[in-house]
């Protein structure tokens, strides 16, 4: 196969891929919605389509982060942005960790676990953005 060099064809191909992704995601979403309505949320979460939906959405988000960092209008200090993000994430995690024992009548250990997991899960994308910004400065 020859590599496409015409920018119009490349753009058309990317638009076709985007359209196919949208149709695929809507189809998965509809099937998961049907499972949720007919068999409940537990059956929906056990479906392999749920895993495909989560993985594809996560991949799309990570790919979008790369594009958004590359096209930032003003240059941001990566260290300052990361430190502000860590403070905000820590506050959100602490609040969630405090509220979990009250809402589900579970022990404080569950609050610590939820707060810790939430902190790690929210921190990973910001570390990735920090890495992209550092890479862009070099």
């Amino acid at each position: 196969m020859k590599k496409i060099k015409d920018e119009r064809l490349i753009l058309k191909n990317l638009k076709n891929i985007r359209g196919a992704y949208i149709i695929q995601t809507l189809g998965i979403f509809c099937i998961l919605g049907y499972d949720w309505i007919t068999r409940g949320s537990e059956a929906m979460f056990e479906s392999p389509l749920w895993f495909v939906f989560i993985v594809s959405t996560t991949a799309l988000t990570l790919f979008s982060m790369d594009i958004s960092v590359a096209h930032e209008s003003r240059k941001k200090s990566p260290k300052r942005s990361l430190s502000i993000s860590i403070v905000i994430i820590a506050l959100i995690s602490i609040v969630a960790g405090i509220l979990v024992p009250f809402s589900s009548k579970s022990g404080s250990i569950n609050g610590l676990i939820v707060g810790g997991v939430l902190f790690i899960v929210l921190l990973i994308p910001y570390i990735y953005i920090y890495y992209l910004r550092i890479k862009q400065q070099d």
Side-chain angles (χ1 to χ4, degrees):
M1 292 184 69
K2 287 185 177 182
K3 186 174 181 178
I4 300 174
K5 295 184 181 181
D6 186 1
E7 289 181 14
R8 294 172 294 163
L9 292 176
I10 293 171
L11 183 61
K12 179 71 174 165
N13 191 27
L14 289 174
K15 286 181 180 180
N16 291 342
I17 292 170
R18 181 180 63 185
Y21 177 79
I22 290 170
I23 292 169
Q24 172 189 343
T25 304
L26 286 174
I28 291 172
F29 191 69
C30 289
I31 292 169
L32 288 173
Y34 177 77
D35 278 349
W36 179 63
I37 290 170
T38 58
R39 297 188 294 162
S41 60
E42 288 183 21
M44 179 187 76
F45 292 137
E46 291 173 359
S47 171
L49 281 177
W50 178 255
F51 180 73
V52 172
F53 180 69
I54 295 298
V55 168
S56 61
T57 304
T58 304
L60 177 65
T61 304
L62 288 175
F63 297 149
S64 296
M65 281 184 200
D66 189 23
I67 293 171
S68 66
V69 168
H71 289 39
E72 286 181 343
S73 59
R74 63 182 179 97
K75 301 297 179 194
K76 297 180 179 180
S77 169
K79 289 183 181 179
R80 183 172 186 263
S81 296
L82 181 64
S83 60
I84 290 170
S85 299
I86 289 174
V87 169
I88 292 171
I89 291 169
L91 290 174
I92 291 170
S93 299
I94 290 169
V95 168
I98 291 171
L99 293 178
V100 164
F102 294 119
S103 65
S104 64
K105 297 180 182 174
S106 58
S108 59
I109 191 74
N110 286 345
L112 287 173
I113 292 171
V114 168
V117 168
L118 189 63
F119 181 77
I120 291 169
V121 167
L122 291 176
L123 184 63
I124 290 171
Y126 287 101
I127 290 174
Y128 181 64
I129 289 176
Y130 172 76
Y131 166 75
L132 291 174
R133 287 181 179 153
I134 291 293
K135 190 172 133 183
Q136 184 181 22
Q137 285 182 347
D138 293 339

